[in-house]
Amino acid sequence: MRRALAAVLALAAAGAVAQEARYAEGAATFQANCAVCHRANGAGNPGLAPPVIADTPGFAATAEGRRQLAMTLLYGMYGEVTVGGRRYNFKMPEFSRFDDATIAEVINHVLFDLAKVDAAVAPLTVADVASERAQPVDGAAVRAHRATVVAAP
């Protein structure tokens, strides 16, 4: 019985490992820089950091939402936000030190590997990120922009 249970557990673990991230570079960067606050699965830490998998699918569906995703990684965000009915008041650091390709990879990892956004949604491109990098803002402006995206019908 114990051997059978061990075999089942080994097969389940192998299946989990076999599921490779579609955006492997983004996954590695996310794990090294974002998972400490947002957890490896993107589900967030109550009282610390919101789940990145909650609003991102909706953001991916609109031009302003897609801008928000790039702005958040490039410039960080601070101040109170509500995600999934919970309030968070945090300061997310900016990640502008990463090149545009890496930021696009991280966003696409969150969208497609973690949040499981529909494959019909176009991935963010290097050009999308570069466009936002050309218009620098601070974390308060990122939060203000987010408020307009969340409020949009």
Side-chain angles (χ1 to χ4, degrees):
M1 179 73 157
R2 285 185 181 168
R3 285 186 181 162
L5 179 58
V8 168
L9 291 174
L11 286 172
V17 171
Q19 293 180 354
E20 288 187 32
R22 180 173 164 193
Y23 294 93
E25 181 185 340
T29 304
F30 183 90
Q31 294 308 314
N33 297 277
C34 311
V36 67
C37 294
H38 296 289
R39 295 191 3 210
N41 65 358
N45 277 311
L48 174 64
V52 295
I53 57 175
D55 289 340
T56 44
F59 286 4
T62 69
E64 288 304 308
R66 294 167 72 82
R67 286 189 62 220
Q68 181 65 35
L69 296 172
M71 290 168 65
T72 303
L73 262 71
L74 282 168
Y75 305 116
M77 183 169 55
Y78 55 85
E80 187 173 293
V81 297
T82 301
V83 179
R86 288 192 161 161
R87 284 198 252 166
Y88 297 86
N89 193 350
F90 68 107
K91 183 170 183 174
M92 180 178 148
E94 54 89 18
F95 291 99
S96 62
R97 69 183 180 275
F98 292 113
D99 63 37
D100 297 343
T102 300
I103 290 177
E105 276 275 324
V106 170
I107 294 168
N108 289 327
H109 166 66
V110 169
L111 291 174
F112 299 102
D113 296 334
L114 298 180
K116 306 294 186 204
V117 170
D118 190 290
V121 172
L124 262 76
T125 66
V126 172
D128 294 331
V129 176
S131 176
E132 293 311 316
R133 190 183 295 273
Q135 305 172 60
V137 296
D138 67 11
V142 173
R143 184 176 60 82
H145 182 264
R146 182 188 186 281
T148 65
V149 172
V150 170

